[in-house]
């Protein structure tokens, strides 16, 4: 099965950790309006199944709706039933990656080291996620990029801000996942929209 590793038009994944089904539509609408087309709802959010199903139903034609913090095969199966397009893992678990790829999903696999990266690629992961990126820094991305296949994008996740995004991109990151700097539980959709616009602007500025 072939997958487009440039899956997202805007290579920024919005992470709505902690969102509830009641809040999902308003915040996803704000993100889509700002230009995001990749939205991740982590499975450690309340009633994640309802939130992901709702987002997929109402916004699946405009954005890729994915799930994050995916750890087990049975979660992959539940997500496949909903129609989830991509999953994000916090760790490198080759058996889980293979299972998700077999179910037709794009896998954004969490890693920190070159060994983990190659294990994830061997298992079929189409995108790698360096986590936590702020701890490792942009230099870590540059060093990894020198050995990783050019065809596999590396996204940076964890502490990325509009101010630091350009530095990661300049060192070889293809994109980023944006969590607490974009959305925190309880904030208004207007706040989410404002943060989203700041990240879109930072990405566009970095592209020159």
């Amino acid at each position: 099965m072939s997958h487009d590793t440039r899956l997202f038009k805007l290579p920024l994944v919005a992470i709505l950790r902690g969102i509830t089904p009641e809040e999902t539509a308003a915040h996803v609408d704000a993100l889509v309006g700002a230009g995001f087309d990749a939205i991740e709802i982590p499975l450690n959010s309340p009633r994640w199944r309802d939130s992901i199903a709702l987002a997929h139903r109402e916004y699946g034609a405009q954005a890729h709706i994915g799930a994050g913090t995916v750890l087990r095969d049975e979660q992959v199966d539940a997500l496949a039933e909903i129609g989830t397009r991509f999953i994000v893992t916090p760790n490198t678990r080759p058996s889980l990656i293979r299972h998700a790829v077999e179910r037709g999903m794009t896998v954004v696999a969490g890693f920190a080291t070159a060994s983990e990266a190659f294990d994830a690629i061997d298992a079929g992961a189409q995108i790698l996620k360096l986590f936590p990126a702020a701890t490792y820094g942009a230099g870590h991305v540059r060093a990894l990029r020198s050995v990783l296949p050019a065809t596999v994008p590396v996204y940076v996740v964890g502490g990325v801000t509009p101010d630091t995004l350009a530095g990661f991109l300049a060192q070889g990151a293809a994109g980023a996942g944006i969590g607490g700097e974009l959305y925190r539980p309880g904030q208004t959709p207007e706040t989410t929209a404002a943060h989203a616009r700041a990240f879109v602007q930072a990405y566009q500025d970095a592209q020159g």
Side-chain angles (χ1 to χ4, degrees):
M1 180 175 292
S2 66
H3 290 264
D4 180 8
T5 54
R6 309 293 168 186
L7 182 67
F8 313 125
K9 288 194 281 292
L10 177 74
L12 299 177
V13 179
I15 304 169
L16 298 177
R17 188 178 305 279
I19 200 160
T20 66
E22 292 77 19
E23 300 167 301
T24 295
H27 288 273
V28 173
D29 189 72
L31 291 164
V32 170
F36 277 72
D37 70 320
I39 295 162
E40 168 196 336
I41 296 175
L43 300 195
N44 54 2
S45 303
R47 310 200 321 276
W48 58 263
R49 194 183 305 248
D50 294 338
S51 295
I52 293 171
L54 184 152
H56 186 68
R57 186 171 64 246
E58 297 194 14
Y59 294 94
Q62 298 156 274
H64 299 269
I65 306 298
T69 319
V70 179
L71 295 167
R72 300 194 303 275
D73 286 2
E74 55 265 33
Q75 294 172 334
V76 170
D77 293 333
L79 291 162
E81 297 306 314
I82 298 171
T84 305
R85 310 271 294 278
F86 72 97
I87 66 161
V88 183
T89 71
N91 58 349
T92 307
R93 185 168 293 167
S95 61
L96 176 83
I97 295 167
R98 277 192 292 271
H99 185 64
V101 171
E102 286 166 4
R103 296 299 311 254
M105 295 180 186
T106 294
V107 178
V108 183
F111 83 103
T113 67
S115 293
E116 291 171 347
F118 281 107
D119 284 348
I121 293 167
D122 287 347
Q126 301 92 345
I127 299 173
L128 297 172
K129 176 190 99 168
L130 175 64
F131 176 83
T135 310
Y136 287 105
H140 194 63
V141 178
R142 183 180 69 246
L144 288 163
R145 275 268 55 122
S146 69
V147 296
L148 294 174
T151 52
V152 181
V154 174
Y155 280 43
V156 288
V157 181
V160 180
T161 70
D163 291 334
T164 62
L165 178 62
F168 283 110
L169 297 172
Q171 298 299 337
I178 317 294
E181 296 75 22
L182 178 68
Y183 170 81
R184 292 183 187 276
Q187 76 183 29
T188 65
E190 291 75 19
T191 300
T192 300
H195 290 172
R197 287 192 297 269
F199 275 102
V200 171
Q201 187 64 54
Y203 178 77
Q204 291 171 342
D205 290 348
Q207 298 307 299

